Amino acid sequence: MAVDLLLGLQWGDEGKGKIVDVLTQGYDIIARFQGGPNAGHTLEFNGIKHVLHTIPSGIFHESAVNVIGNGVVIDPVIFRKEIKGLKKYGIDFAGRLLISRKAHLILPTHRLLDAASETSKGKAKIGSTLKGIGPTYMDKTGRNGLRVGDIELDDFEERYRVLVEKHLELLGHYGVDIQFNLDELEADFFAAIEVLRGFELIDSEEYLYGALKSGKRILAEGAQGSLLDIDFGTYPFVTSSNTTAAGACTGLGVAPNSIGRVIGIFKAYTTRVGSGPFPTELFDEVGDTMTEVGREYGATTGRRRRTGWLDLVALRYAVRVNGVTELVMMKADVLSGFETLKVCTEYLYKGKKIGHLPYNIEPQNVSPVYTELKGWHQDLMGIKEYGALPKELLDYIAFLEKELEVPITLVSVGPDRTQTIVR
């Protein structure tokens, strides 16, 4: 058996949670491999909206085991709130939610460091969610971090104190005034640690190896998007982990030759949250319409997302970097009603047309070159069969497949899990 991957191909918010939920019935194990509570995976079914931040999106399916992998960073306080919010649905977590001992912990002081760092940048801020993600990954690579497995050790609190003292010293170097009550923050943190201790902690790489060997079907769930990858994204306006396919290997401990299908998700248009370059961004009525019809507000932060036409230069890049084998197009329904659709097929880069993503896509270097396609007016949300989609949408899909050289196998026409068309 192989590990299949499900990845976002843009700047996040592509709809990964919904598609994991849709696909879970075909898998035994759903495993998150990177990121932390800066992710907001939204699922809608039975008239109820659910937002998951740390827990894998297969948790609503009784047949699926959900694994939080070693590449994830966990805030125990947010994790406890998430568990509490799910209990009203009668979910039995025993044996169905497993946590890697090698996953790193987000401390209260990590969040303080995140806030201080972002405040000190002024206008040059990255657009952090202020969840402490970056400082936690910095401690991980700096070999200072605390891991979930440490909570099983007798000297965990001592290790915690040593790291907190380092953090408090660092806070003083930023030269900004961050108000906090550490006693209150720590009371919440240690109460949440007790909740975390009640879950099954595993050596996830060994668990997944055994699962593969016994023929279990595994789907690896990514967070954020490929264009936010720490190495291959629009640096420095990126997240702190590897969001691309390679991150699944390091974030779960699975070998590269264990990877099977690579399913890439993209919106029929483009969005971005926070700072950073965005060549196809719209500042007009069209962009406002996309925002309102698409409900483009962050599931984690509530921030309004920036919107723009589909960028095939960036999308083509993400497809290649990830080795995508099939595509899922989200939010086709949001484009209903536009007379004309634009798709960026090339960039004008320093006066020359190029078809690849260059090192720098800041607006002074890059402007989009568009191809126009005819739009459609039908309401898609009640359509169940691929052949019933309007001809203009079918033409749009065919155009994208030709440009990307990868088949689009699922088309989402609404937020509910039932509003998904399989080709």
Side-chain angles (χ1 to χ4, degrees), residues 18-273:
K18 171 186 170 175
I19 299 304
V20 172
D21 178 56
V22 168
L23 296 178
T24 293
Q25 59 187 347
Y27 293 92
D28 302 298
I29 298 169
I30 308 298
R32 265 281 303 272
F33 64 83
Q34 50 73 223
N38 52 343
H41 289 183
T42 303
L43 298 75
E44 292 191 34
F45 53 88
N46 300 332
I48 303 172
K49 181 177 179 179
H50 314 269
V51 180
L52 301 173
H53 299 284
T54 306
I55 297 169
S57 301
I59 196 66
F60 291 102
H61 294 261
E62 293 182 6
S63 60
V65 173
N66 293 263
V67 174
I68 299 174
N70 60 276
V72 178
V73 291
I74 300 173
D75 184 328
V77 175
I78 293 176
F79 178 78
R80 178 180 61 171
K81 289 179 182 176
E82 200 168 340
I83 293 296
K84 184 178 179 181
L86 289 173
K87 282 187 175 178
K88 60 186 175 184
Y89 301 110
I91 295 172
D92 182 9
F93 294 103
R96 290 195 49 234
L97 181 58
L98 313 178
I99 305 170
S100 173
R101 289 187 173 92
K102 291 186 174 70
H104 277 247
L105 293 170
I106 300 173
L107 276 54
T109 43
H110 281 132
R111 299 201 303 274
L112 298 176
L113 286 169
D114 204 353
S117 174
E118 192 77 341
T119 302
S120 70
K121 290 183 174 72
K123 291 183 179 179
K125 64 182 180 180
I126 299 297
S128 169
T129 58
L130 305 180
K131 302 292 183 183
I133 310 296
T136 305
Y137 277 115
M138 288 172 68
D139 271 340
K140 176 179 179 176
T141 57
R143 293 160 292 183
N144 294 310
L146 291 177
R147 301 185 290 177
V148 170
D150 291 333
I151 70 175
E152 298 177 308
L153 304 178
D154 293 337
D155 65 344
F156 169 67
E157 190 162 341
E158 180 182 336
R159 292 171 182 240
Y160 170 87
R161 294 293 168 201
V162 169
L163 185 53
V164 165
E165 287 303 316
K166 289 182 180 179
H167 289 171
L168 294 176
E169 184 178 348
L170 281 172
L171 274 174
H173 294 303
Y174 280 105
V176 296
D177 185 25
I178 300 294
Q179 300 294 319
F180 61 92
N181 185 320
L182 188 58
D183 289 339
E184 288 184 5
L185 295 174
E186 288 186 336
D188 282 346
F189 177 80
F190 282 105
I193 287 291
E194 291 307 311
V195 172
L196 199 58
R197 285 187 172 121
F199 284 82
E200 185 175 350
L201 310 183
I202 61 170
D203 299 320
S204 53
E205 65 279 11
E206 183 64 24
Y207 174 84
L208 293 172
Y209 174 79
L212 279 173
K213 197 171 182 180
S214 65
K216 299 291 186 183
R217 299 160 298 173
I218 302 172
L219 179 65
E221 176 185 11
Q224 289 85 46
S226 296
L227 299 179
L228 294 174
D229 184 276
I230 185 67
D231 286 296
F232 298 105
T234 49
Y235 190 90
F237 303 99
V238 293
T239 193
S240 302
S241 59
N242 287 113
T243 61
T244 47
C249 296
T250 57
L252 293 175
V254 296
N257 62 357
S258 297
I259 303 300
R261 300 161 65 195
V262 181
I263 306 164
I265 303 182
F266 70 99
K267 284 177 181 171
Y269 51 100
T270 309
T271 64
R272 179 163 201 169
V273 172

Side-chain angles (χ1 to χ4, degrees), residues 305-362:
R305 297 178 185 133
R306 301 153 64 191
T307 55
W309 295 116
L310 185 61
D311 186 338
L312 280 186
V313 179
L315 187 54
R316 192 182 297 121
Y317 169 81
V319 165
R320 292 171 181 173
V321 167
N322 286 298
V324 171
T325 60
E326 57 194 275
L327 290 162
V328 176
M329 186 169 79
M330 308 298 291
K331 293 198 168 183
D333 53 293
V334 176
L335 294 184
S336 292
F338 292 109
E339 288 293 335
T340 302
L341 305 178
K342 293 183 180 181
V343 178
C344 172
T345 51
E346 294 178 300
Y347 289 159
L348 192 63
Y349 178 68
K350 297 183 177 179
K352 294 183 179 180
K353 285 185 179 181
I354 62 171
H356 68 278
L357 195 74
Y359 178 76
N360 185 297
I361 61 167
E362 294 291 346

